Amino acid sequence: TGIGAVTETEYTFTNLQSGSQYYFKVEAICGSDTVATIVDTRTECATITSVPFVENFDNWGAGTGVIPTCWSKDGSYSSYPYISSSTGAGYDHTTGSGHALYMYTYASGSTPTYIMLPPLDSTLGAMNQYQVSFSMNYASSSSYVHGVIVGICEESDFSTFVPIDTVILSQAGTNNWECSEVPFSNYADSGRTVALKGYTTTSYCYPYIDDLTISVIPTCPRPRDVEVDNITQSDATIHWVDSTAS
């Protein structure tokens, strides 16, 4: 977008989009000749200002190094995490034709990967009224332990990561997506940024994360950690955790 001639040596653009890349071209007009300098910059990221906040990882492209704009990552192993370019029901929970976040952790968790969301705006009130939910899967059979630790950080500072809960896949295999909810009801520190950390007790883990949502903790939360055992031809015992007790 051109703005025409400017007689001063500065100009302020307004109403730009947050977290967006812009290129600015400044031309010196010298009679019939023009010479120009082009610079680029990215505007500051916005906070999360409304809930529910939903991310399905289908609108950012995919491949090594790709994560949603204004998210940040950290890790000691390669370029993980990133939005996987693999598609199919085992790699995308939303539609089966989109994408998911690939959380790879190496060497028994000694080189974990982290992903951090934008912080929740202070106008949304205390963090202990919110929860994060997501679906997790590993796309083929595996004997490894695949999981993530859900925590909260100060903005842009992974060293302040406070773990809230550890979520581990109960089984791994194509289409075995498992939905988990982690409430922040017991969190009392000042951080406002939700983060995930890869977790395993085996050599590797590489779960896929999809349909991540931050929402208000419901007044009647669903039971969690539901398991079935003692299965016979005619009986089965089901166990669960009462989420209202946490």
Side-chain angles (χ1 to χ4, degrees):
T1 300
I3 61 170
V6 176
T7 57
E8 304 296 329
T9 57
E10 67 175 46
Y11 182 86
T12 300
F13 287 85
T14 59
N15 298 317
L16 302 178
Q17 296 294 314
S18 63
S20 299
Q21 190 81 18
Y22 286 92
Y23 295 86
F24 300 97
K25 180 180 180 181
V26 180
E27 288 185 344
I29 302 175
C30 307
S32 60
D33 298 325
T34 61
V35 289
T37 299
I38 298 176
V39 296
D40 67 289
T41 190
R42 182 177 292 276
T43 53
E44 292 184 357
C45 290
T47 56
I48 295 173
T49 57
S50 63
V51 292
F53 169 86
V54 180
E55 179 56 65
N56 63 15
F57 305 103
D58 290 343
N59 301 305
W60 307 101
T64 303
V66 177
I67 58 174
T69 299
C70 293
W71 290 42
S72 55
K73 63 180 182 177
D74 185 42
S76 303
Y77 187 71
S78 190
S79 55
Y80 303 96
Y82 57 80
I83 299 175
S84 173
S85 59
S86 299
T87 59
Y91 301 97
D92 174 56
H93 179 259
T94 313
T95 64
S97 59
H99 303 284
L101 184 70
Y102 187 30
M103 293 283 296
Y104 188 104
T105 289
Y106 173 68
S108 300
S110 62
T111 53
T113 54
Y114 293 84
I115 191 78
M116 181 187 292
L117 283 69
L120 268 69
D121 195 86
S122 59
T123 59
L124 294 179
M127 289 293 289
N128 62 7
Q129 64 182 307
Y130 297 106
Q131 66 177 19
V132 63
S133 61
F134 54 90
S135 293
M136 183 165 59
N137 182 39
Y138 173 64
S140 63
S141 60
S142 169
S143 59
Y144 297 135
V145 172
H146 301 278
V148 294
I149 302 174
V150 178
I152 297 177
C153 300
E154 301 290 342
E155 184 177 358
S156 302
D157 188 355
F158 287 101
S159 69
T160 63
F161 182 85
V162 176
I164 304 298
D165 199 5
T166 301
V167 180
I168 299 174
L169 280 171
S170 62
Q171 58 181 339
T174 303
N175 301 334
N176 288 330
W177 287 96
E178 298 178 10
C179 181
S180 297
E181 295 177 344
V182 176
F184 304 142
S185 50
N186 294 324
Y187 182 75
D189 289 340
S190 59
R192 303 194 61 81
T193 305
V194 177
L196 302 181
K197 175 184 178 181
Y199 173 80
T200 186
T201 57
T202 53
S203 299
Y204 309 91
C205 80
Y206 13 89
Y208 292 83
I209 304 294
D210 205 4
D211 297 330
L212 186 148
T213 302
I214 298 175
S215 59
V216 174
I217 298 173
T219 55
C220 184
R222 77 179 72 193
R224 58 188 176 89
D225 299 340
V226 179
E227 296 181 357
V228 180
D229 58 20
N230 299 326
I231 301 170
T232 69
Q233 292 183 348
S234 59
D235 302 287
T237 301
I238 185 168
H239 309 267
W240 63 90
V241 174
D242 180 1
S243 298
T244 61
S246 61

